[in-house]
Every structure is written in C-alpha cells, then in structure tokens.
Amino acid sequence: MRKTQYTGGPVENEVIANLAAASRILAERGVVDGFGHVSMRHPGNPDYYLMARAIAPALVTPDDILEYDMESVPCNPGSSKSFLERFIHSEIYKARPDINSIVHSHSPSVVPFGLVDVKMEAMFHNAAFLAAGVPVFDIRDKFGMTDMLVCDCEKGVALAESLGDKDIALMRAHGSVACGPTLQTAVFRAVYTEVNARIQHWSVGLGGGAPLASLEEEEGRLADVPNQTAGMRAWDLWRLQVRDQLGW
Ligand SMILES: [Zn+2]
C-alpha cells in the first residue's frame, strides 16, 4: 500500500482517498453544499489532523488534503488557503481524545433546531446517537456580536465546551458539528442528523405538536453500538459510488 509522508508520519493513500471521498459523499447526501468540511485525526499521530484546503466539498480530490497541527497551523508553509473555521476541528480534537473525525455543515433541515426552543430528538434508530442529547452552541454567550464564524482557537474552545461529552452540537443560526471515533461514523452521523431533522419536522407537523415517541436515552445507547458496524454498509455503498465516478 503506497503511503504519503506527512509531518505526523506516513499515511496510506487509501486513507487520504477516503477522506476526499467523504467530502463528495456529504455533498451528494445534501449535508454540505459550497460550504462545510470534514476532517480526520492523523491515524498515526494524534497531534495532527488532515482536512482539505478551502474548496467546495464536492470538488475535493486527494491532492487537496492538507495536514494541520493542533493549533490549526498548516504543516506545509505556503500551502493553499485553509478553511477559516478549521479551529472547530483542532479544539474538539484537543478536548476529546475519543473523537477522530469531525463533520462541520450548515445542512438546512438541522438549522431550525438552533433557532427555536425545540430540542432535536432521535426519531429513528439510524440517528440513535442523538438520544444522548443535542446541545446548542450560541456564539453570542461568550463573544457577543460576531460574524458567526468559529475562526480562532478561543471560539473553537467554546464550541468544544458546548459539545461536552456528546457527539453532536448545533450552532445557533449557523449549522452543526457531528463527530465520531472513525471517519465512517462521523459521516454516517452527519448524514443521519440531517435525515433525522427532516423526520422530526414531518412528525411535528403530522402530530400537530403532540409529544413524539422518539428513542429514549437507553434505546439510543443500545442502538448506537451496532450502528457503528452496520453503518459501514452505508459507507461501502457511498464510497463505491464515488469510486465509480472518479476512479479513486
Ligand atoms: Zn460554518
């Protein structure tokens, strides 16, 4: 297996191709559009992470993947423009050693749950991890009036504090972050957070605002374990579709 050399150590090319493919998959599933990003911790060195240069997710190729240290400084000086909100990734990685991949998106069905006083609940088993709770990060709480972007370490720390021990956090009037122990799980969770949001909108409409029979916390905990292996079936399909289109 061919490897590419990074500051944190060599990484198999297939890993880099998977990370690039994740951007394309998230775009095809309606989670990201011209904006949004997905990262993964360097598989051989927890003090670095990998993420595409600032480019629309549907256009990412393996050649666009850059390496960052835990201050979100690019390891290759003079490299291409970086995402302004890369501090989301570094500060969550620092706060949560169990998280190895993060998706940040502005997926449209999710945004309303950061605007109104209605909690996102786990509507079905694929979104089981939501049953643990879905915190909302309000950038105003610590920073007052801003451009809404998590564009420095301080704002990244505040977001990571809102996330706490959960794997999802909504960002008021902005979007969300979905996290996981693997790239595949983070992608699965980001996709099914968006789907879950749509189902909750439908369910609230159908029920006329009546209480929802959503997953209880214990059901969510039980269902999230098999999801992390069964979810690979979805990944294998999505990954194959990208490979068929692009050949990598
Ligand atoms: Zn954003």
Side-chain angles (χ1 to χ4, degrees):
M1 186 70 73
R2 286 178 53 230
K3 295 181 176 180
T4 301
Q5 187 60 44
Y6 290 94
T7 305
V11 180
E12 289 181 359
N13 287 352
E14 179 63 16
V15 172
I16 301 300
N18 280 345
L19 179 56
S23 282
R24 304 262 184 164
I25 288 167
L26 290 163
E28 290 206 350
R29 315 310 302 174
V31 176
V32 296
D33 49 16
F35 304 96
H37 22 90
V38 52
S39 74
M40 63 180 293
R41 204 187 282 271
H42 187 298
N45 190 328
D47 295 332
Y48 296 89
Y49 73 96
L50 305 164
M51 186 166 73
R53 67 188 175 95
I55 183 175
L59 302 178
V60 172
T61 72
D63 290 340
D64 296 311
I65 303 299
L66 304 179
E67 182 188 27
Y68 295 90
D69 68 16
M70 283 299 150
E71 302 308 312
S72 275
V73 175
C75 294
N76 187 355
S79 56
S80 308
K81 191 172 183 304
S82 298
F83 285 115
L84 288 173
E85 294 196 284
R86 61 192 183 280
F87 304 94
I88 291 171
H89 302 259
S90 48
E91 294 305 331
I92 290 176
Y93 287 134
K94 279 195 275 190
R96 290 281 302 277
D98 59 314
I99 287 175
N100 293 313
S101 184
I102 299 165
V103 175
H104 169 54
S105 75
H106 312 149
S107 69
S109 309
V110 174
V111 172
F113 292 94
L115 300 175
V116 299
D117 192 19
V118 173
K119 288 196 180 311
M120 183 181 281
E121 300 174 36
M123 294 290 106
F124 70 141
H125 66 296
N126 280 1
F129 81 110
L130 297 171
V134 183
V136 179
F137 170 66
D138 187 343
I139 200 166
R140 286 181 303 191
D141 290 347
K142 279 197 174 162
F143 303 98
M145 297 298 104
T146 67
D147 61 4
M148 308 302 289
L149 301 179
V150 179
C151 55
D152 57 35
C153 294
E154 210 180 349
K155 296 188 179 85
V157 168
L159 172 60
E161 284 172 357
S162 284
L163 179 71
D165 63 354
K166 306 295 189 289
D167 292 311
I168 175 93
L170 308 190
M171 301 159 75
R172 177 196 135 258
H174 183 162
S176 61
V177 288
C179 310
T182 65
L183 174 68
Q184 290 80 2
T185 296
V187 168
F188 181 89
R189 287 173 170 172
V191 168
Y192 283 105
T193 298
E194 168 61 21
V195 175
N196 187 87
R198 279 179 245 155
I199 294 175
Q200 188 162 343
H201 294 311
W202 296 331
S203 302
V204 169
L206 188 66
L212 303 172
S214 54
L215 268 73
E216 296 190 21
E217 190 171 341
E218 178 65 2
E219 289 177 313
R221 194 185 63 75
L222 292 170
D224 189 49
V225 176
N227 276 356
Q228 292 191 38
T229 47
M232 284 303 293
R233 199 180 318 159
W235 169 265
D236 289 344
L237 169 66
W238 299 335
R239 181 69 183 90
L240 193 66
Q241 289 168 338
V242 170
R243 199 187 308 268
D244 285 349
Q245 287 168 20
L246 301 165
W248 46 262

Short mmCIF file of all heavy atoms in Angstrom, two decimals, residues 71-119:
data_model
loop_
_atom_site.label_atom_id
_atom_site.label_comp_id
_atom_site.label_asym_id
_atom_site.label_seq_id
_atom_site.Cartn_x
_atom_site.Cartn_y
_atom_site.Cartn_z
N GLU A 71 -2.89 23.53 16.66
CA GLU A 71 -3.25 24.95 16.69
C GLU A 71 -3.87 25.35 15.36
O GLU A 71 -4.06 26.54 15.09
CB GLU A 71 -2.01 25.81 16.99
CG GLU A 71 -1.31 25.47 18.29
CD GLU A 71 -2.24 25.46 19.49
OE1 GLU A 71 -3.03 26.41 19.65
OE2 GLU A 71 -2.21 24.48 20.27
N SER A 72 -4.12 24.36 14.51
CA SER A 72 -4.67 24.57 13.15
C SER A 72 -3.74 25.36 12.25
O SER A 72 -4.17 26.06 11.33
CB SER A 72 -6.06 25.22 13.21
OG SER A 72 -7.05 24.22 13.39
N VAL A 73 -2.44 25.24 12.53
CA VAL A 73 -1.44 25.82 11.63
C VAL A 73 -1.11 24.76 10.57
O VAL A 73 -0.81 23.61 10.92
CB VAL A 73 -0.16 26.21 12.40
CG1 VAL A 73 0.92 26.70 11.45
CG2 VAL A 73 -0.48 27.23 13.47
N PRO A 74 -1.16 25.13 9.28
CA PRO A 74 -0.82 24.14 8.25
C PRO A 74 0.63 23.70 8.38
O PRO A 74 1.51 24.53 8.64
CB PRO A 74 -1.06 24.87 6.92
CG PRO A 74 -1.56 26.23 7.26
CD PRO A 74 -1.53 26.43 8.73
N CYS A 75 0.88 22.40 8.20
CA CYS A 75 2.25 21.89 8.36
C CYS A 75 3.12 22.22 7.16
O CYS A 75 4.34 22.13 7.25
CB CYS A 75 2.21 20.38 8.57
SG CYS A 75 1.41 19.93 10.11
N ASN A 76 2.49 22.55 6.06
CA ASN A 76 3.24 22.85 4.86
C ASN A 76 3.13 24.35 4.57
O ASN A 76 2.17 24.79 3.96
CB ASN A 76 2.66 22.04 3.70
CG ASN A 76 3.50 22.18 2.44
OD1 ASN A 76 4.45 22.96 2.41
ND2 ASN A 76 3.14 21.46 1.42
N PRO A 77 4.10 25.15 5.05
CA PRO A 77 4.00 26.60 4.89
C PRO A 77 3.86 26.96 3.41
O PRO A 77 4.47 26.36 2.55
CB PRO A 77 5.33 27.13 5.45
CG PRO A 77 5.88 26.01 6.25
CD PRO A 77 5.35 24.75 5.68
N GLY A 78 3.02 27.95 3.17
CA GLY A 78 2.81 28.36 1.78
C GLY A 78 1.80 27.48 1.07
O GLY A 78 1.58 27.64 -0.13
N SER A 79 1.21 26.54 1.83
CA SER A 79 0.21 25.68 1.19
C SER A 79 -1.05 26.49 0.90
O SER A 79 -1.18 27.63 1.30
CB SER A 79 -0.10 24.47 2.09
OG SER A 79 -0.52 24.90 3.35
N SER A 80 -1.97 25.87 0.24
CA SER A 80 -3.17 26.55 -0.25
C SER A 80 -3.98 27.14 0.90
O SER A 80 -3.78 26.80 2.07
CB SER A 80 -4.02 25.56 -1.02
OG SER A 80 -3.26 24.92 -1.99
N LYS A 81 -4.95 27.98 0.54
CA LYS A 81 -5.79 28.65 1.52
C LYS A 81 -6.52 27.61 2.38
O LYS A 81 -7.02 26.60 1.88
CB LYS A 81 -6.79 29.52 0.78
CG LYS A 81 -7.56 30.48 1.65
CD LYS A 81 -8.38 31.44 0.78
CE LYS A 81 -9.11 32.48 1.60
NZ LYS A 81 -9.99 31.93 2.62
N SER A 82 -6.59 27.90 3.68
CA SER A 82 -7.24 26.99 4.62
C SER A 82 -8.63 27.48 4.97
O SER A 82 -8.92 28.68 4.89
CB SER A 82 -6.42 26.90 5.92
OG SER A 82 -5.14 26.38 5.66
N PHE A 83 -9.49 26.56 5.42
CA PHE A 83 -10.81 26.94 5.88
C PHE A 83 -10.70 27.85 7.11
O PHE A 83 -9.94 27.55 8.05
CB PHE A 83 -11.63 25.69 6.27
CG PHE A 83 -12.13 24.91 5.09
CD1 PHE A 83 -11.69 23.62 4.84
CD2 PHE A 83 -13.08 25.46 4.23
CE1 PHE A 83 -12.16 22.89 3.77
CE2 PHE A 83 -13.56 24.73 3.14
CZ PHE A 83 -13.10 23.45 2.91
N LEU A 84 -11.47 28.93 7.13
CA LEU A 84 -11.46 29.85 8.27
C LEU A 84 -11.87 29.16 9.56
O LEU A 84 -11.41 29.50 10.64
CB LEU A 84 -12.42 31.02 8.01
CG LEU A 84 -12.00 32.05 6.95
CD1 LEU A 84 -13.14 33.03 6.70
CD2 LEU A 84 -10.74 32.78 7.39
N GLU A 85 -12.79 28.19 9.43
CA GLU A 85 -13.35 27.56 10.62
C GLU A 85 -12.63 26.26 11.01
O GLU A 85 -13.20 25.42 11.71
CB GLU A 85 -14.84 27.29 10.41
CG GLU A 85 -15.66 28.55 10.30
CD GLU A 85 -17.13 28.27 10.49
OE1 GLU A 85 -17.76 27.74 9.55
OE2 GLU A 85 -17.66 28.56 11.58
N ARG A 86 -11.37 26.13 10.61
CA ARG A 86 -10.64 24.91 10.93
C ARG A 86 -10.44 24.74 12.44
O ARG A 86 -10.20 23.63 12.92
CB ARG A 86 -9.29 24.86 10.21
CG ARG A 86 -8.35 25.99 10.54
CD ARG A 86 -7.18 26.01 9.56
NE ARG A 86 -6.20 27.04 9.86
CZ ARG A 86 -6.33 28.33 9.53
NH1 ARG A 86 -7.40 28.76 8.90
NH2 ARG A 86 -5.38 29.20 9.83
N PHE A 87 -10.58 25.83 13.21
CA PHE A 87 -10.40 25.76 14.67
C PHE A 87 -11.48 24.91 15.34
O PHE A 87 -11.30 24.43 16.45
CB PHE A 87 -10.36 27.17 15.25
CG PHE A 87 -9.28 28.00 14.60
CD1 PHE A 87 -9.56 28.82 13.51
CD2 PHE A 87 -7.97 27.91 15.03
CE1 PHE A 87 -8.56 29.55 12.88
CE2 PHE A 87 -6.96 28.64 14.41
CZ PHE A 87 -7.27 29.46 13.33
N ILE A 88 -12.62 24.75 14.67
CA ILE A 88 -13.64 23.79 15.15
C ILE A 88 -12.97 22.44 15.36
O ILE A 88 -13.17 21.78 16.39
CB ILE A 88 -14.77 23.64 14.10
CG1 ILE A 88 -15.60 24.92 13.99
CG2 ILE A 88 -15.64 22.42 14.39
CD1 ILE A 88 -16.60 24.90 12.82
N HIS A 89 -12.19 22.03 14.38
CA HIS A 89 -11.63 20.68 14.37
C HIS A 89 -10.53 20.53 15.42
O HIS A 89 -10.55 19.61 16.24
CB HIS A 89 -11.12 20.36 12.97
CG HIS A 89 -12.19 20.46 11.92
ND1 HIS A 89 -12.83 19.36 11.40
CD2 HIS A 89 -12.75 21.54 11.32
CE1 HIS A 89 -13.74 19.76 10.51
NE2 HIS A 89 -13.71 21.07 10.44
N SER A 90 -9.57 21.45 15.41
CA SER A 90 -8.44 21.30 16.33
C SER A 90 -8.87 21.35 17.78
O SER A 90 -8.39 20.57 18.62
CB SER A 90 -7.37 22.36 16.05
OG SER A 90 -7.92 23.64 15.93
N GLU A 91 -9.80 22.24 18.11
CA GLU A 91 -10.17 22.37 19.52
C GLU A 91 -11.02 21.18 19.99
O GLU A 91 -10.92 20.78 21.15
CB GLU A 91 -10.89 23.70 19.76
CG GLU A 91 -9.99 24.90 19.54
CD GLU A 91 -8.69 24.89 20.35
OE1 GLU A 91 -8.68 24.30 21.46
OE2 GLU A 91 -7.69 25.45 19.88
N ILE A 92 -11.84 20.63 19.12
CA ILE A 92 -12.58 19.41 19.52
C ILE A 92 -11.61 18.24 19.66
O ILE A 92 -11.70 17.46 20.62
CB ILE A 92 -13.72 19.11 18.52
CG1 ILE A 92 -14.83 20.16 18.64
CG2 ILE A 92 -14.29 17.70 18.76
CD1 ILE A 92 -15.96 20.02 17.64
N TYR A 93 -10.65 18.12 18.75
CA TYR A 93 -9.68 17.02 18.88
C TYR A 93 -8.89 17.14 20.19
O TYR A 93 -8.59 16.14 20.84
CB TYR A 93 -8.71 17.01 17.69
CG TYR A 93 -9.32 16.51 16.40
CD1 TYR A 93 -9.11 17.20 15.20
CD2 TYR A 93 -10.09 15.36 16.37
CE1 TYR A 93 -9.67 16.75 14.01
CE2 TYR A 93 -10.65 14.90 15.18
CZ TYR A 93 -10.44 15.61 14.01
OH TYR A 93 -10.99 15.17 12.84
N LYS A 94 -8.55 18.37 20.56
CA LYS A 94 -7.78 18.54 21.81
C LYS A 94 -8.63 18.18 23.02
O LYS A 94 -8.15 17.59 23.98
CB LYS A 94 -7.29 19.99 21.92
CG LYS A 94 -6.03 20.25 21.11
CD LYS A 94 -5.36 21.55 21.51
CE LYS A 94 -5.94 22.72 20.80
NZ LYS A 94 -5.19 23.97 20.99
N ALA A 95 -9.91 18.56 22.97
CA ALA A 95 -10.79 18.34 24.14
C ALA A 95 -11.26 16.89 24.24
O ALA A 95 -11.59 16.43 25.34
CB ALA A 95 -12.00 19.27 24.05
N ARG A 96 -11.29 16.19 23.11
CA ARG A 96 -11.91 14.87 23.09
C ARG A 96 -11.01 13.83 22.40
O ARG A 96 -11.12 13.61 21.20
CB ARG A 96 -13.25 14.97 22.35
CG ARG A 96 -14.34 15.74 23.10
CD ARG A 96 -14.99 14.88 24.19
NE ARG A 96 -15.57 13.67 23.63
CZ ARG A 96 -16.78 13.61 23.06
NH1 ARG A 96 -17.53 14.68 23.00
NH2 ARG A 96 -17.23 12.47 22.58
N PRO A 97 -10.14 13.18 23.17
CA PRO A 97 -9.24 12.19 22.56
C PRO A 97 -9.97 11.03 21.89
O PRO A 97 -9.39 10.33 21.05
CB PRO A 97 -8.43 11.68 23.77
CG PRO A 97 -8.59 12.71 24.83
CD PRO A 97 -9.90 13.37 24.60
N ASP A 98 -11.25 10.82 22.25
CA ASP A 98 -12.01 9.69 21.67
C ASP A 98 -12.55 10.03 20.28
O ASP A 98 -13.03 9.14 19.57
CB ASP A 98 -13.19 9.33 22.59
CG ASP A 98 -14.15 10.50 22.82
OD1 ASP A 98 -13.67 11.62 23.10
OD2 ASP A 98 -15.37 10.29 22.71
N ILE A 99 -12.49 11.28 19.90
CA ILE A 99 -13.02 11.69 18.59
C ILE A 99 -11.88 11.74 17.58
O ILE A 99 -10.86 12.37 17.81
CB ILE A 99 -13.72 13.07 18.70
CG1 ILE A 99 -15.06 12.91 19.43
CG2 ILE A 99 -13.95 13.68 17.31
CD1 ILE A 99 -15.78 14.21 19.70
N ASN A 100 -12.09 11.07 16.45
CA ASN A 100 -11.06 11.01 15.40
C ASN A 100 -11.53 11.57 14.07
O ASN A 100 -10.77 11.55 13.09
CB ASN A 100 -10.58 9.57 15.22
CG ASN A 100 -9.83 9.08 16.45
OD1 ASN A 100 -8.97 9.78 16.99
ND2 ASN A 100 -10.18 7.90 16.93
N SER A 101 -12.78 12.01 14.00
CA SER A 101 -13.27 12.60 12.76
C SER A 101 -14.43 13.54 13.07
O SER A 101 -15.23 13.28 13.98
CB SER A 101 -13.72 11.51 11.80
OG SER A 101 -14.12 12.07 10.56
N ILE A 102 -14.49 14.65 12.32
CA ILE A 102 -15.49 15.70 12.57
C ILE A 102 -16.03 16.20 11.23
O ILE A 102 -15.26 16.44 10.30
CB ILE A 102 -14.84 16.89 13.33
CG1 ILE A 102 -14.30 16.43 14.68
CG2 ILE A 102 -15.85 18.03 13.52
CD1 ILE A 102 -13.34 17.42 15.34
N VAL A 103 -17.35 16.36 11.19
CA VAL A 103 -18.00 16.99 10.03
C VAL A 103 -18.63 18.29 10.51
O VAL A 103 -19.39 18.30 11.48
CB VAL A 103 -19.11 16.09 9.45
CG1 VAL A 103 -19.85 16.81 8.32
CG2 VAL A 103 -18.53 14.77 8.96
N HIS A 104 -18.30 19.40 9.84
CA HIS A 104 -19.00 20.67 10.11
C HIS A 104 -19.83 21.00 8.88
O HIS A 104 -19.32 21.02 7.76
CB HIS A 104 -18.02 21.80 10.38
CG HIS A 104 -18.69 23.14 10.38
ND1 HIS A 104 -19.77 23.43 11.18
CD2 HIS A 104 -18.46 24.27 9.65
CE1 HIS A 104 -20.17 24.67 10.95
NE2 HIS A 104 -19.40 25.20 10.03
N SER A 105 -21.13 21.25 9.11
CA SER A 105 -22.01 21.55 7.97
C SER A 105 -23.04 22.59 8.36
O SER A 105 -23.21 22.92 9.54
CB SER A 105 -22.72 20.28 7.51
OG SER A 105 -23.75 19.94 8.42
N HIS A 106 -23.70 23.08 7.33
CA HIS A 106 -24.82 24.03 7.51
C HIS A 106 -26.09 23.36 6.97
O HIS A 106 -26.92 24.02 6.37
CB HIS A 106 -24.55 25.33 6.75
CG HIS A 106 -23.18 25.90 6.98
ND1 HIS A 106 -22.50 26.63 6.04
CD2 HIS A 106 -22.37 25.87 8.08
CE1 HIS A 106 -21.31 27.02 6.53
NE2 HIS A 106 -21.21 26.56 7.76
N SER A 107 -26.21 22.05 7.15
CA SER A 107 -27.30 21.32 6.49
C SER A 107 -28.65 21.91 6.89
O SER A 107 -28.94 22.11 8.07
CB SER A 107 -27.20 19.83 6.76
OG SER A 107 -27.47 19.52 8.08
N PRO A 108 -29.49 22.21 5.90
CA PRO A 108 -30.63 23.11 6.12
C PRO A 108 -31.71 22.61 7.06
O PRO A 108 -32.33 23.42 7.76
CB PRO A 108 -31.19 23.32 4.69
CG PRO A 108 -30.67 22.18 3.91
CD PRO A 108 -29.34 21.83 4.49
N SER A 109 -31.98 21.33 7.09
CA SER A 109 -33.06 20.84 7.96
C SER A 109 -32.67 20.91 9.44
O SER A 109 -33.53 20.91 10.32
CB SER A 109 -33.41 19.40 7.60
OG SER A 109 -33.65 19.29 6.23
N VAL A 110 -31.36 20.96 9.70
CA VAL A 110 -30.86 20.97 11.08
C VAL A 110 -30.90 22.37 11.68
O VAL A 110 -31.17 22.55 12.87
CB VAL A 110 -29.42 20.40 11.11
CG1 VAL A 110 -28.82 20.53 12.51
CG2 VAL A 110 -29.42 18.95 10.65
N VAL A 111 -30.64 23.38 10.85
CA VAL A 111 -30.50 24.76 11.35
C VAL A 111 -31.69 25.22 12.20
O VAL A 111 -31.48 25.86 13.25
CB VAL A 111 -30.24 25.74 10.16
CG1 VAL A 111 -30.29 27.19 10.63
CG2 VAL A 111 -28.88 25.44 9.53
N PRO A 112 -32.96 24.92 11.83
CA PRO A 112 -34.08 25.40 12.67
C PRO A 112 -34.00 25.00 14.13
O PRO A 112 -34.47 25.75 15.01
CB PRO A 112 -35.31 24.78 11.99
CG PRO A 112 -34.90 24.61 10.56
CD PRO A 112 -33.43 24.26 10.61
N PHE A 113 -33.37 23.86 14.43
CA PHE A 113 -33.30 23.42 15.82
C PHE A 113 -32.34 24.27 16.66
O PHE A 113 -32.34 24.18 17.89
CB PHE A 113 -32.91 21.93 15.88
CG PHE A 113 -33.98 21.04 15.33
CD1 PHE A 113 -33.96 20.63 14.00
CD2 PHE A 113 -35.04 20.63 16.13
CE1 PHE A 113 -34.96 19.83 13.48
CE2 PHE A 113 -36.05 19.83 15.61
CZ PHE A 113 -36.02 19.44 14.28
N GLY A 114 -31.55 25.08 16.00
CA GLY A 114 -30.72 26.03 16.73
C GLY A 114 -31.38 27.40 16.86
O GLY A 114 -30.82 28.30 17.49
N LEU A 115 -32.55 27.54 16.24
CA LEU A 115 -33.24 28.83 16.23
C LEU A 115 -34.44 28.88 17.16
O LEU A 115 -34.82 29.96 17.63
CB LEU A 115 -33.74 29.14 14.80
CG LEU A 115 -32.67 29.23 13.71
CD1 LEU A 115 -33.34 29.42 12.35
CD2 LEU A 115 -31.70 30.37 13.98
N VAL A 116 -35.08 27.75 17.37
CA VAL A 116 -36.30 27.71 18.18
C VAL A 116 -36.07 26.84 19.41
O VAL A 116 -35.12 26.04 19.46
CB VAL A 116 -37.49 27.14 17.37
CG1 VAL A 116 -37.78 28.01 16.16
CG2 VAL A 116 -37.22 25.72 16.94
N ASP A 117 -36.93 27.00 20.37
CA ASP A 117 -36.76 26.27 21.63
C ASP A 117 -37.42 24.89 21.55
O ASP A 117 -38.30 24.56 22.33
CB ASP A 117 -37.36 27.10 22.77
CG ASP A 117 -36.95 26.55 24.14
OD1 ASP A 117 -35.96 25.80 24.18
OD2 ASP A 117 -37.63 26.86 25.13
N VAL A 118 -37.01 24.13 20.55
CA VAL A 118 -37.48 22.74 20.40
C VAL A 118 -36.24 21.87 20.27
O VAL A 118 -35.39 22.12 19.40
CB VAL A 118 -38.34 22.59 19.13
CG1 VAL A 118 -38.69 21.11 18.89
CG2 VAL A 118 -39.61 23.42 19.24
N LYS A 119 -36.11 20.90 21.16
CA LYS A 119 -34.91 20.06 21.14
C LYS A 119 -34.97 19.07 19.98
O LYS A 119 -36.03 18.54 19.68
CB LYS A 119 -34.80 19.29 22.46
CG LYS A 119 -34.41 20.19 23.62
CD LYS A 119 -33.93 19.34 24.79
CE LYS A 119 -33.52 20.19 25.98
NZ LYS A 119 -32.62 21.30 25.65
#
